[in-house]
Structures are given as C-alpha cells and as structure tokens.
C-alpha cells in the first residue's frame, strides 16, 4: 500500500506531498531528526520536565505518512474514547471527533464537541488505539454549534502517551515538553506533527489554554489522531484482523482533475467496444464535466434499452462518490472482459452514464487541502458560491400553486412541468454546471439515477421540499412505494448501513428509519435535483449519503468500495423493474413520441421518447395502463409486473383519429381507404343529426313564444 508504515526501528519520516497543503498549520521541525520512535516505558526525567515552549505555526509542504486512526470515520469506536470529565452526555468524549456536527436543538444528546466539565489544565481527551501504534500527529477543531458562540476553542495543548494508562510520557520537543498551537476559530482544522513519532497504545490531548471571557468559554475540542498501527504477530483480537484492502485490483487513491481524466481515458482504451467518454459542458473555471458511457453500443440509444445515470461530486468536498464511480467504471470494464455474466448482462441491456464530478472546481479546492484538513464546507459550493443541491428549478411550488388555484382538476398536469421563464434567463443565478446537467437530462431519456453525496449514512427519496416551507415534513410523491423500494435496495445491500451495531454519524439516528428517509422529512431542500428530475423528466432519482466522513483518507477507499460495490450494482439493476414497451401507430408501425403513459391510481405519468419506447418503474402487481397521444384514440390494457429481474413488456398500437388520418392522406395525395370513408360518413351523419336536433329545438321554442304573444 502507498501509505504503509515502516518498521518500528526506523526513524520518523515525513514526505513532500504531491498536492499542496497550503495554509496547514504544523509544528516546526527540528534541524535534526535522527531519532528512533520513542517507546513508552518510564517516567520523564528532570530534563524532560523543563520549561515548555509553544511550537510556532509555520507553513510546510509536509503531511504525516501515517493515516488517521478514524475518529471522524467512526473506525474508532465510542468505547475507545475517554475524558477527564465532560459537561453532559451530549458533550461527552464520544463527540470529540473531527468535523462532527451538532444537532438542531441546543442541549440535546448530539452536541458538536467534547467539552470538559472543569476549566483547568488537568482536563484531557484520551484515545485508545487498542494496539501499539506509532503516533505522528494530531488535528484539532473547536466546538460546532448552531446556537452557541463559536469561541469554545482550545488555543494550546500538550500530548501524552501511555501503554497502560498509569504511566504517561509527554510529547517532547528536544529536551522540552512540547506545547502545540490549537485553533483560532471553531471550524478550521489545525494539524500538528510531532518532531519524533512515539510508539504507544494510548494518547491524550491535554488543553493548556482556551478562550475565556468571564464565565464564557469552555474547554471544547474535536480531534483526529494520526498513527500507524504496528504489526501484531498474535492478532488475537477481531479488530486486528479487520480487512483493510479489496480483492479487486482498482486504482484506490484520490484523483484530481487531470488524474481523473487520465484514468477515464485508460478505461476507455482498455474497453473501447463498450465505453465512450463525452463532455456535457464546463464548470465556471472551464473544467469539462466528463461522463463515462458504458453500453454494448456506446453513443446510441437502442430501442427498448433503458438509460441509467450516477452523478457524484455535486458538492466538491464530498469526494467518496467520485472515487466510487471511477472504481465502478474500472470494475465493469475488467469484469466484462473476464466474462462475468452479471456484468455482461448489465452492459448489454442497459445504457449506463457515470458523471464522477459535477463540481470539479469545488473538488480542486478541497483536494489541495487534503482529506483531513478541508474542514466541513471547503469545496462544497461552486466557484461562484452556489450550492447546486438548491440550484435546480423549483417545480414543486409551480405544481402546488396550480393545485391550489385550479378548480378544474382535469386541466392539472402531474409530469413534465415546464421550467419557469425567469429561471432560463442569462441573469438567473444558476451555476453553469447546473445548466449543463439540466441540458443533459433533457437530451437523454434517463429512467433511473442516483445522486451520490457524503457526510451521512442514509438514502433519501423525493420529495426533498416541504409543501408549506416547513423545516421538515414528510412529503411523499405519487410513487412513494417505489421510491421507498429503491432506497431500501441501496441501504440494505450497503455493508455499513445494514450494520445495526453502528453508531449515528452526527446528530440523527437513521437506523431508526432503516437508513432511508423521505428527503423533506429530514430537512427542507427546495430546488433539489431529485425533485426536478421527477417533475420535469421521466427519471426517478434518489440521494445516497455514502459515509460519515465527507473526505475519507485514501487508505479507507478500498473498504469503502467493498461497502458499496454490491449496492451500486444492485441499484442499477432496478432500472429493469416495472413495465416497458413501444407505442406505435397501428397503420404504419412507426413509433409515436411524446405519448403519455398513465397508470390507474398513480397520479404521475411518463412519456414515450423519440422512437416511441417507454419505461415505467413499478413494484410487482397488476396495473391498468393507458397510452394516449395527440391525434390518436387512447388505448388501455392490463399489465402484470412480476418479481422477476426483468420488466414486463406492454406495447401499445394507437389508432389515429379520422381527422388526423384524412389530413395525412390528403397531404400525400392518396385515396381514402374504405374504413376511413365509412368512418367519415358516420361522423357526418352524427353531426347532421346533432345540428338537425338543435334546429328543431330552436324552432319549437320560437313557436311557443309566438303562441304566447
């Protein structure tokens, strides 16, 4: 592995990172570091208890070679965290994790840091690595809170090590006890690298100074610890044998824009017959939004073959989705060449589109800081400062306003809502990336998709917006049952989400909801891509929150792939659930585009595409389905959806109305067929009877009036 640790007797190593860590605050390196890693064994001597010095902040292009232990990713369990004291349960040591987010309500069990009960220099937060570990550094943040002052931060701190929690040895800076600089604000992560690495099992962070203003200002912090676990020949504990790699030979690392483009090109060169790379537009800074298409006929929509999409990186700092899609395209290519029948069938029966980075500008900002130092929001927004998850046209309000104002229900539409004119103007505050994705959605008849995010472990489904702008409220679509099925499919096959022993990521326990939730029931999100997709196109889409950590360390990517591989594949296969078919002209056999497909008792229609083919996602059951098109008589039939992994075929042949057929024939200069002549004669006779009846009624009324006179 790229970040493998050297053996314990080697000197501590630092390496120059390929990516810049501009602005990272680290402890100053001594001129000479020819020292072995210290191993805890005895109490510090008098020289080591000399007057402490605060290590100055400097800017260096260095990062620790050792990965994080996993406080942020929850790899470190709550039972591995202890503290000298804590104010209450919601501010306990289990909340002292880097980037943890507080709850909406102040004082609940989900607060945004560990906070000591007392304000003195005897307070500490302790991490048990469970085995001998070569500790190399610490990252610190202040307290996250919606309601509290942002000044609950630690200015300086010491670090101690132990093997038994009885004898503690301080981290030294030469002959002096090291004091590290902490935070100046609550959210910016600050990295401190130790001058010499130390081998121990336990590490303590011991605050020395903190913000104080009278009675205000508590000792609060969120932390991550960097360290390399040492090999244990016994390996007697379960946590020592947990897998850290994947059996799949994929490129497990973080890829910047150039590296992503290079990897996509290598996949295309390896599997040229089933892949195609294309761009749907550019970001504000001119980076292309590349898509990998995977199909047995790339570049072409095949009749009856559904289109599927995955979109990642809408928030540039939520990077796991980006890497998973890069892994997915490699995996499909490799397995297709190997002859894996599941993958071969998926490629031949589905046209797959993978957009790994919708917000490349934001990603580049987060990438330059690195996985643990980007914080919670750096890179989330576009270069213009737009949150693309709120940037799509709000068609929900258009729909609900029409429902409130329209008295004639037959005039209401329930699909293909047009985009408001003010949204399409050049002056509208719409990101260039959002415009590109909307155009993409309009040009390709997607049936199913998913939007990959990070920072939680849950699958959300539409609607994402509440009807009356409430902070949260369950707001279902007409396809609630199928959306719930889609969410369950991903969540139940995800190895982390389906683990009932896992703890909540931040401030909501989604295990209570089986790791799925209606988006609006979590929080109100107007202008979401999921809602827009459902109301403006045929495509059903959910949001997958992939991990507690928005920017996992590269060492965690193999396991994250293992956690999500089956989910990604199984979810794609759901595009073949329900009914499909072709709507054709009964006389010519030509496909009819824009035909409306209605399912009884489900108030949401879809439409056929250019060649007349359509797909309607449905759960197993019996449905009465009607196809209508302008100028044609409607046609209805009963369609049975089974539990099989393929759709039920329900084709329609529509008969043109006589007027439309007459127009068509006269334009071509042809003769009228006998059936059309008979139909026209019948229509004329009906019209004659109606007009004659009306004339007779008017004459009778006139005669009555004359008699009265």
């Amino acid at each position: 592995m790229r970040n493998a640790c050297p053996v314990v007797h080697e000197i501590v190593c630092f390496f120059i990172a390929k990516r810049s860590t501009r602005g990272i605050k680290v402890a100053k390196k001594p001129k000479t570091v020819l020292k072995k890693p210290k191993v805890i064994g005895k109490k510090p001597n008098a020289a080591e208890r000399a007057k402490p010095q605060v290590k100055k902040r400097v800017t260096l292009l260095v990062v620790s070679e050792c990965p994080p232990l996993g406080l942020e990713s929850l790899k470190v369990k709550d039972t591995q965290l202890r503290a000298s004291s804590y104010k209450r349960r919601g501010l306990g040591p289990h909340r002292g994790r880097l980037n943890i987010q507080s709850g909406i309500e102040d004082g609940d069990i989900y607060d945004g840091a560990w906070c000591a009960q007392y304000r003195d220099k005897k307070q500490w937060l302790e991490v048990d690595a469970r085995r001998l570990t070569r500790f190399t550094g610490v990252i610190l943040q202040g307290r996250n809170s919606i309601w509290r002052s942002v000044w609950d931060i630690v200015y300086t701190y010491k670090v101690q090590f132990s093997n038994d929690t009885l004898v503690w040895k301080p981290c030294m800076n030469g002959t002096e006890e090291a004091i590290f600089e902490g935070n100046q604000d609550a959210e910016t992560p600050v990295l401190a690298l130790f001058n010499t690495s130390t081998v121990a099992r336990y590490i303590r962070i011991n605050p020395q100074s903190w913000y104080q203003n009278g009675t205000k200002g508590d000792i609060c912090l969120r932390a991550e610890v960097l360290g390399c676990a040492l090999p244990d020949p016994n390996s007697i504990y379960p946590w020592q044998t947990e897998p850290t790699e994947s059996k799949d030979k994929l490129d497990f690392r973080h890829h910047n824009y150039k590296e992503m483009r290079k990897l996509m090109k290598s996949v295309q060169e390896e599997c040229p017959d089933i892949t195609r790379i294309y761009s749907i537009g550019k970001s504000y800074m001119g980076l292309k939004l590349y898509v990998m298409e995977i199909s047995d006929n790339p570049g072409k929509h095949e009749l009856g073959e559904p289109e599927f999409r995955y979109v990642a990186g809408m928030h540039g700092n939520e990077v796991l989705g980006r890497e998973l899609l890069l892994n997915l395209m490699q995996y499909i290519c490799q397995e297709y060449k190997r002859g894996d029948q599941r993958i071969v069938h998926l490629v031949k029966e589905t046209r797959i589109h993978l957009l790994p980075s919708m917000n490349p500008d934001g990603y580049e900002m987060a990438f330059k800081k690195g996985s643990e130092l980007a914080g919670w929001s750096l890179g989330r927004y576009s270069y213009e400062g737009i949150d693309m998850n709120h940037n799509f046209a709000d068609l929900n309000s258009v729909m609900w306003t029409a429902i409130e104002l329209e008295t004639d229900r037959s005039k209401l539409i329930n699909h293909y809502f047009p985009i408001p004119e003010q949204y399409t103007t050049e002056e509208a505050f719409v990101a260039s990336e959002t415009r590109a994705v909307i155009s993409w959605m309009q040009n390709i008849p997607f049936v199913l998709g998913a939007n990959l995010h990070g920072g939680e472990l849950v699958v959300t489904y539409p609607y994402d917006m509440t009807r009356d702008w409430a902070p949260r409220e369950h707001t279902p679509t007409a396809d609630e049952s199928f959306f719930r099925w889609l969410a369950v499919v991903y969540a139940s096959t995800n190895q982390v989400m389906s683990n009932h022993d896992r703890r909540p990521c931040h401030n909501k326990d989604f295990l209570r909801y089986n790791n799925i939730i209606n988006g609006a029931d979590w929080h109100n999100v107007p202008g979401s891509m999921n809602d827009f997709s459902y109301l403006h196109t045929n495509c059903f889409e959910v949001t997958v929150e992939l991990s507690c950590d928005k920017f996992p360390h590269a060492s965690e990517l193999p396991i994250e792939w293992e956690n999500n591989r089956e989910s990604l594949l199984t979810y794609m296969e759901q595009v073949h659930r329900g009914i499909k078919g072709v709507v054709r002209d009964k006389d010519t056999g030509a496909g009819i585009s824009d035909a409306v497909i209605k399912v009884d008792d489900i108030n949401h229609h879809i439409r056929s595409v250019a060649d007349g083919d359509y797909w309607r996602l449905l759960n197993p059951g019996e449905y009465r389905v009607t196809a209508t098109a302008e100028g044609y008589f409607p046609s209805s039939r009963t369609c049975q959806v089974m539990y099989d992994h393929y759709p039920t075929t329900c084709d329609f042949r529509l008969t043109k109305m006589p007027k439309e057929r007459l127009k068509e024939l006269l334009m071509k200069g042809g003769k009228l067929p006998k059936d059309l002549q008979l139909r026209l004669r019948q229509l004329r006779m009906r019209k004659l009877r109606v007009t004659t009846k009306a004339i007779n009624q008017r004459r009778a009324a006139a005669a009555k009036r004359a008699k009265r006179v």
Side-chain angles (χ1 to χ4, degrees):
M1 290 180 66
R2 199 160 68 97
N3 289 331
C5 293
V7 296
V8 74
H9 296 297
E10 289 182 352
I11 63 169
V12 62
C13 298
F14 300 102
F15 67 90
I16 303 297
K18 289 185 179 179
R19 60 179 183 265
S20 165
T21 52
R22 179 178 52 192
I24 297 173
K25 299 158 185 176
V26 297
K28 192 173 182 179
K29 282 178 64 180
K31 293 181 180 179
T32 305
V33 283
L34 297 176
K35 298 182 181 180
K36 295 180 180 179
K38 296 180 180 179
V39 181
I40 305 305
K42 59 181 182 178
K43 294 181 180 179
N45 56 34
E48 291 171 329
R49 294 195 298 268
K51 183 180 178 181
Q53 267 189 352
V54 176
K55 292 193 173 185
K56 302 294 182 183
R57 285 190 223 141
V58 293
T59 301
L60 296 174
L61 295 178
V62 297
V63 294
S64 169
E65 64 174 12
C66 289
L69 294 191
L71 276 78
E72 182 178 10
S73 67
L74 304 186
K75 187 177 178 182
V76 171
K77 310 301 181 187
D78 288 352
T79 53
Q80 294 174 248
L81 300 173
R82 289 201 313 145
S84 53
S85 65
Y86 53 92
K87 295 188 73 173
R88 52 184 169 78
R89 172 64 180 165
L91 294 168
H94 65 294
R95 302 296 294 175
R97 300 172 179 272
L98 191 72
N99 284 321
I100 203 163
Q101 301 296 294
S102 66
I104 295 175
E105 297 182 17
D106 190 29
D108 64 7
I109 62 170
Y110 301 116
D111 221 314
W114 160 68
C115 290
Q117 182 178 0
Y118 309 106
R119 301 176 189 173
D120 58 46
K121 295 183 180 181
K122 296 179 181 179
Q123 305 307 305
W124 44 261
L125 176 69
E126 178 184 298
V127 181
D128 176 9
R130 285 183 165 177
R131 59 191 294 178
L132 288 180
T133 300
R134 184 163 65 85
F135 294 110
T136 59
V138 168
I139 302 171
L140 229 61
Q141 278 177 316
R143 178 181 177 181
N144 174 266
S145 177
I146 296 175
W147 308 107
R148 288 269 303 183
S149 164
V150 296
W151 295 108
D152 286 343
I153 56 177
V154 169
Y155 290 144
T156 60
Y157 62 97
K158 295 180 180 179
V159 175
Q160 293 103 31
F161 309 99
S162 176
N163 279 332
D164 56 10
T165 71
L166 299 175
V167 177
W168 290 88
K169 189 176 182 68
C171 181
M172 303 298 291
N173 182 19
T175 59
E176 300 174 342
E177 188 172 359
I179 299 182
F180 299 95
E181 286 202 35
N183 301 97
Q184 295 300 314
D185 64 76
E187 295 300 327
T188 304
V190 177
L191 166 68
L193 295 176
F194 306 148
N195 283 346
T196 56
S197 60
T198 301
V199 175
R201 173 174 169 174
Y202 301 91
I203 183 172
R204 277 183 180 176
I205 300 169
N206 174 213
Q208 295 297 295
S209 62
W210 52 93
Y211 173 79
Q212 298 180 69
N213 183 9
T215 59
K216 296 181 179 179
D218 292 317
I219 299 175
C220 298
L221 61 86
R222 294 174 287 167
E224 183 61 86
V225 176
L226 307 178
C228 292
L230 300 184
D232 185 349
N234 297 319
S235 297
I236 57 175
Y237 299 110
W239 61 80
Q240 295 175 331
T241 57
E242 290 177 354
T244 58
E245 297 185 6
S246 170
K247 62 181 181 180
D248 299 319
K249 304 303 179 185
L250 308 176
D251 188 5
F252 294 116
R253 62 190 175 97
H254 290 294
H255 299 79
N256 63 19
Y257 179 75
K258 290 182 178 179
E259 292 165 341
M260 178 191 74
R261 187 174 59 185
K262 184 177 179 181
L263 185 146
M264 293 177 73
K265 187 177 179 182
S266 70
V267 172
Q268 200 276 326
E269 290 172 348
E270 186 177 351
C271 294
D273 295 334
I274 62 167
T275 60
R276 178 177 74 102
I277 301 172
Y278 65 95
S279 170
I280 62 171
K282 292 183 178 181
S283 70
Y284 182 83
M285 295 301 291
L287 301 181
K288 290 185 178 180
L289 307 182
Y290 286 113
V291 176
M292 174 66 79
E293 178 191 342
I294 303 175
S295 169
D296 59 341
N297 280 298
K300 179 184 177 183
H301 172 72
E302 297 181 74
L303 189 71
E305 186 169 283
E307 311 256 0
F308 177 92
R309 71 167 180 257
Y310 272 131
V311 176
M314 172 183 280
H315 295 145
N317 62 332
E318 297 169 12
V319 306
L320 181 56
R322 175 191 181 106
E323 299 307 325
L324 288 177
L325 292 192
L326 294 177
N327 294 153
L328 181 61
M329 60 183 72
Q330 294 174 77
Y331 178 81
I332 292 176
C333 174
Q334 292 175 9
E335 294 303 301
Y336 184 86
K337 290 177 67 177
R338 199 170 65 85
D340 183 321
Q341 286 306 299
R342 181 187 189 186
I343 300 302
V344 170
H345 182 267
L346 190 62
V347 171
K348 288 187 175 182
E349 300 298 325
T350 319
R351 191 179 179 208
I352 303 164
H353 304 259
L354 307 177
L355 172 58
S357 187
M358 181 178 166
N359 181 7
D361 295 346
Y363 177 85
E364 293 300 303
M365 285 189 279
F367 181 82
K368 287 176 182 177
K369 282 289 186 180
S371 59
E372 273 62 59
L373 297 160
W376 188 250
S377 60
L378 179 66
R380 173 185 176 90
Y381 306 100
S382 72
Y383 190 85
E384 302 169 272
I386 298 173
D387 186 339
M388 289 181 232
N389 202 35
H390 296 260
N391 199 223
F392 288 79
D394 173 14
L395 302 181
N396 304 60
S397 296
V398 173
M399 174 181 64
W400 290 324
T401 300
I403 290 172
E404 290 173 2
L405 298 179
E406 184 58 65
T407 55
D408 185 355
R409 295 296 178 190
S410 64
K411 294 182 179 180
L412 291 172
I413 61 173
N414 61 21
H415 70 295
Y416 271 47
F417 286 86
I419 299 174
E421 187 177 345
Q422 66 270 19
Y423 183 88
T424 60
T425 63
E426 291 185 8
E427 294 74 27
F429 195 52
V430 182
S432 55
E433 297 89 341
T434 308
R435 294 180 191 271
V437 169
I438 289 175
S439 178
W440 183 45
M441 295 162 80
Q442 292 172 332
N443 291 334
I444 296 178
F446 292 112
V447 178
L448 179 62
N451 187 10
L452 308 183
H453 286 242
E456 258 300 347
L457 277 167
V458 68
V459 182
T460 73
Y461 57 89
Y463 291 119
D464 291 327
M465 181 182 178
T466 58
R467 183 161 180 171
D468 298 315
W469 291 86
R472 52 164 296 207
E473 181 180 43
H474 186 82
T475 311
T477 66
D479 289 282
E480 167 86 353
S481 62
F482 192 81
F483 272 118
R484 285 183 62 83
W485 166 256
L486 290 174
V488 166
V489 163
Y490 200 101
S492 63
T493 53
N494 182 280
Q495 292 185 18
V496 180
M497 291 187 197
S498 58
N499 178 8
H500 295 287
D501 294 328
R502 73 173 182 87
R503 57 151 284 170
C505 289
H506 296 283
N507 50 50
K508 195 172 184 70
D509 185 5
F510 289 109
L511 278 169
R512 295 168 50 200
Y513 308 92
N514 292 318
N515 304 295
I516 71 169
I517 193 170
N518 173 255
D521 199 19
W522 182 11
H523 56 255
N524 184 30
V525 182
S528 77
M529 187 160 79
N530 292 355
D531 289 3
F532 177 85
S533 180
Y534 182 69
L535 294 174
H536 186 66
T537 74
N538 287 337
C539 186
F540 288 26
E541 187 163 9
V542 302
T543 292
V544 182
E545 299 282 351
L546 293 163
S547 67
C548 301
D549 188 350
K550 287 186 174 184
F551 201 142
H553 190 270
S555 62
E556 297 171 15
L557 294 179
I559 295 305
E560 291 292 0
W561 166 250
E562 289 293 319
N563 291 338
N564 287 277
R565 179 183 58 221
E566 182 59 29
S567 305
L568 291 166
L569 295 174
T570 305
Y571 185 82
M572 279 196 288
E573 291 168 340
Q574 304 314 302
V575 76
H576 296 285
R577 186 173 289 275
I579 61 174
K580 73 170 185 177
V582 181
V583 183
R584 299 182 188 274
D585 185 298
K586 185 178 180 181
D587 297 318
T588 66
I592 302 172
S593 64
D594 219 30
V596 177
I597 309 300
K598 305 176 182 179
V599 179
D600 284 5
D601 302 323
I602 300 179
N603 189 28
H604 182 82
H605 310 330
I606 57 98
R607 299 198 180 204
S608 63
V609 298
D611 297 324
D613 47 346
Y614 77 91
W615 305 263
R616 183 53 165 101
L617 299 175
L618 293 167
N619 282 323
E622 186 175 277
Y623 299 92
R624 188 66 178 169
V625 184
T626 302
T628 63
E630 188 175 350
Y632 290 86
F633 289 108
S635 175
S636 299
R637 59 176 295 185
T638 299
C639 302
Q640 186 83 25
V641 178
M642 309 303 289
Y643 286 88
D644 304 311
H645 292 292
Y646 53 84
T648 299
T649 300
C650 285
D651 294 327
F652 291 90
R653 288 185 173 271
L654 303 186
T655 302
K656 268 189 180 171
M657 293 178 176
K659 265 189 179 179
E660 299 300 322
R661 290 184 68 193
L662 179 59
K663 285 179 185 176
E664 196 174 273
L665 286 166
L666 291 175
M667 285 178 65
K668 293 180 179 179
K671 293 183 179 180
L672 297 181
K674 289 183 178 180
D675 67 318
L676 184 54
Q677 290 177 18
L678 179 62
R679 181 65 179 158
L680 285 171
R681 193 176 298 117
Q682 290 172 343
L683 287 172
R684 289 193 192 104
M685 291 300 295
R686 185 187 300 169
K687 188 175 182 181
L688 181 61
R689 285 195 295 269
V690 170
T691 54
T692 302
K693 184 178 180 181
I695 291 170
N696 291 336
Q697 286 174 346
R698 285 198 298 270
R699 285 175 178 172
K704 284 182 181 180
R705 286 196 297 271
K707 284 181 180 180
R708 292 194 196 102
V709 173

